[in-house]
Amino acid sequence: MKTVDLWFDPVCPWAWIASRWLLEVEAVREVRTRFHVFSLSLHNEGREVDDWYRGWLDERWGPARVALAAERAHGNEVLRDLYTALGTRIHRDKEPVSRETIVAALASVDLPASLADAAESPDLDADLRAGNRAALDPIGEDLGVPALHVDGNAFFGPVVSPVPRGEDAGRLWDGVLLVTGTPGFFELKRGRGRPVTS
């Protein structure tokens, strides 16, 4: 069984799609995903970004803080189901990133509503910062999420839409392992010509 470590911010659509892809991979390959929290809001603090993106980030600190609070209180395994609960509401159902959405996600996985208080608190931000570093330091560039670590290799991506399913997910996994395991391999990229769909 191979373990892949995925860092995610619950509000990032690309991390969401990558996480759903990895769950598909688990069904067709001997793979288990271990989830870790990342904060795009913290990652972009003090950076020059477009005004619309800054406003978007400023409204979205809460889910990452709450996910980390849940992990601290209940262990890493709660992240798998909590991320699914948050992501389904935020990305699939297009619910607002609000306390109500967070509380509903917590309730759906039998976690206490009091964890939602972490959304407005910077108490765990030092731990979020450490998690961000753990995700990105091995990648060697200041990219973001999805960040994956597997077999001693770390990389950003894949950025893909829609979610590959079944054996298509497995073939993408095989290809990702092949290219990221190649010494000296750095990048494949093409323009994004389709809307993001999960």
Side-chain angles (χ1 to χ4, degrees):
M1 180 69 70
K2 190 181 296 290
T3 298
V4 55
D5 290 285
L6 166 69
W7 276 262
F8 70 93
D9 186 316
V11 301
C12 175
W14 299 115
W16 173 249
I17 292 171
S19 73
R20 301 309 93 180
W21 162 64
L22 286 171
L23 295 181
E24 290 284 324
V25 171
E26 289 183 355
V28 295
R29 298 292 186 271
E30 292 293 315
V31 173
R32 178 72 175 172
T33 307
R34 187 167 43 207
F35 293 85
H36 305 277
V37 182
F38 188 95
S39 172
L40 284 170
S41 296
L42 186 61
H43 177 63
N44 287 286
E45 195 174 45
R47 295 172 187 264
E48 285 189 36
V49 297
D50 291 338
D51 289 343
W52 72 266
Y53 189 54
R54 172 67 56 213
W56 186 87
L57 289 169
D58 287 348
E59 296 172 359
R60 285 164 173 78
W61 281 86
R65 285 172 166 168
V66 170
L68 187 58
E71 181 184 21
R72 292 291 185 263
H74 300 278
N76 178 264
E77 280 301 312
V78 303
L79 289 180
R80 174 179 287 260
D81 291 340
L82 178 57
Y83 182 28
T84 294
L86 285 166
T88 297
R89 286 166 173 77
I90 293 168
H91 300 292
R92 189 193 71 192
D93 299 343
K94 308 299 184 197
E95 293 182 20
V97 178
S98 65
R99 182 178 178 87
E100 293 75 21
T101 298
I102 291 169
V103 167
L106 290 166
S108 73
V109 294
D110 298 321
L111 290 172
S114 60
L115 286 169
D117 295 342
E120 302 300 325
S121 172
D123 289 351
L124 292 175
D125 286 0
D127 291 341
L128 281 173
R129 192 177 308 280
N132 284 11
R133 281 194 308 273
L136 298 183
D137 283 354
I139 293 173
E141 290 191 38
D142 199 9
L143 294 167
V145 289
L148 276 69
H149 297 190
V150 61
D151 287 346
N153 293 310
F155 50 92
F156 168 79
V159 173
V160 61
S161 175
V163 178
R165 305 285 180 190
E167 189 55 29
D168 288 341
R171 282 193 297 274
L172 177 58
W173 171 254
D174 297 340
V176 165
L177 290 185
L178 178 65
V179 298
T180 60
T182 301
F185 175 82
F186 298 106
E187 184 174 15
L188 282 172
K189 192 164 186 173
R190 62 181 169 189
R192 298 177 192 172
R194 297 186 216 173
V196 179
T197 58
S198 57

